[in-house]
Amino acid sequence: MAIVFDQVNFSYDGQAPVLQDVNLTLASGQVTAIIGQTGAGKSTLMQHVNGLLKPTSGQVRVEDFVLDAQTKEKTLVALRKRVGMVFQFPENQLFANTVLADVMYGPLNFGLDKTRAQQAAQTALQRVGLPEQYWQVSPFDLSGGQMRRVALAGVLASEPEILVLDEPAAGLDPKGQADLLAMIASLRAEGTTVLLITHQMEHVVAVADHVVVMGSGAVQTVTTPEVLFQHDSAWFAQFGLALPKAGRFAELLAARGMKFDRRPLTKAALSVDLNARIGGERDE
C-alpha cells in the first residue's frame, strides 16, 4: 500500500519544527531506505507511518487511513495492525518473562487465540533465526543482537503489510547482518513494504529500491541508490553522508589517476572493474 505525506509539519509542543513541509510518496511492495545525518528527522518521519506521532499540520495517508492532528487514539489500532515497527533500541520494545510470550503479544493483541498466536510466534522466531533453546528464556538475558531478533520477530508475528526498521543492523555481527538483508529481500518478494532507516550505505545498495535523503527536517531528494551514489563528495558532505566502502575505495583510486565511467558501489562491481583493467593492460 502506498504511503503519502501531504504537506506534513511536526513540532514538539510548539517548539522548533522537526519536520517541515514534507510531501512524499513511498511506493508499496518495495524497500525504501531513509537516510540522513543524526537529527535529520528520519525517525520522526517514520513514527508518523503508524501513528506514534501525529502531524502538527498536514496529513499522512496509508491506503484509506488518514492520519492528521485530529486523529483519535482509539482509531489507530487498525493502522498499527498494518504497520509494524522495530525501534533502534530493542530493549525498549521487550517486556515479557519469556521470549515466546513477548513475541506472542502482538498476535494476541490483534485478536488471535492463544494457539494461533503461539504458532505465529514460533514461525516468526524461526524466520529471524533464533534457536528454540532461547524461546523460554527471559529476553533480557539475551545479547543485544539476539534481543534485536526477538523484537523483529514480535513485529513479524502480526504479519504487517508495512514494516519500519530503525537501524535494524545495530548489534548484529556480519552473519546476522547478512541474514537480515536476506530477510528484507524475502519480505519484499512477498509484497511487504519495507521502510529502512540506516546509516549503513552498503545496506542501501544491497536492498533498497528507492532512497529518501532527509536533512534539517525536510526531504532533500528521492532517488535510487544507483543515481544517489554517483553524486560528488561535496554533495555527500553537505548532508553528512558517506559512500559505500567500495565507492570510497574507488574514490581513492580515482585520486591516484584511475578513472571510472561509473563509481562501483559493491565489492563485486569493484572487483569486476579492476579485473577488466588488469586484463586489458596485460593484453596490451
Side-chain angles (χ1 to χ4, degrees), residues 31-240:
V31 178
T32 300
I34 316 296
I35 65 174
Q37 62 187 341
T38 301
K42 305 181 298 296
S43 294
T44 301
L45 181 76
M46 290 297 96
Q47 287 177 34
H48 281 73
V49 178
N50 77 338
L52 283 176
L53 296 175
K54 295 185 288 187
T56 303
S57 63
Q59 61 179 218
V60 181
R61 297 192 299 276
V62 182
E63 201 172 66
D64 57 347
F65 191 98
V66 177
L67 178 73
D68 59 24
Q70 285 71 48
T71 301
K72 302 299 183 184
E73 187 69 24
K74 64 182 180 181
T75 68
L76 292 174
V77 174
L79 177 64
R80 290 170 183 162
K81 175 67 172 70
R82 295 176 174 179
V83 183
M85 190 166 208
V86 180
F87 297 97
Q88 186 171 357
F89 303 105
E91 62 271 21
N92 295 334
Q93 201 163 344
L94 306 175
F95 63 92
N97 292 328
T98 69
V99 165
L100 186 61
D102 207 298
V103 178
M104 287 175 62
Y105 176 79
L108 288 171
N109 192 47
F110 291 126
L112 292 188
D113 60 43
K114 187 174 180 179
T115 299
R116 292 169 62 204
Q118 182 170 322
Q119 290 171 345
Q122 291 171 342
T123 298
L125 285 165
Q126 290 167 347
R127 186 164 198 177
V128 301
L130 191 71
E132 189 172 350
Q133 69 193 71
Y134 296 108
W135 294 2
Q136 297 301 329
V137 172
S138 168
F140 302 103
D141 290 337
L142 303 178
S143 69
Q146 290 168 332
M147 292 172 74
R148 184 159 296 278
R149 290 173 186 266
V150 176
L152 179 55
V155 173
L156 292 178
S158 297
E159 299 183 344
E161 300 167 48
I162 299 168
L163 181 62
V164 180
L165 301 172
D166 193 346
E167 297 291 351
L172 296 181
D173 59 21
K175 182 182 183 306
Q177 294 186 36
D179 291 344
L180 173 70
L181 295 177
M183 186 187 309
I184 291 173
S186 175
L187 288 166
R188 172 179 54 195
E190 295 167 8
T192 303
T193 301
V194 180
L195 308 178
L196 172 66
I197 301 173
T198 183
H199 284 95
Q200 301 196 45
M201 298 301 104
E202 287 77 15
H203 295 179
V204 175
V205 172
V207 297
D209 300 294
H210 307 284
V211 187
V212 176
V213 179
M214 294 292 295
S216 301
V219 175
Q220 301 299 327
T221 189
V222 181
T223 185
T224 64
E226 293 78 10
V227 173
L228 175 73
F229 291 120
Q230 299 305 320
H231 284 293
D232 60 29
S233 300
W235 190 94
F236 283 94
Q238 177 184 0
F239 298 108

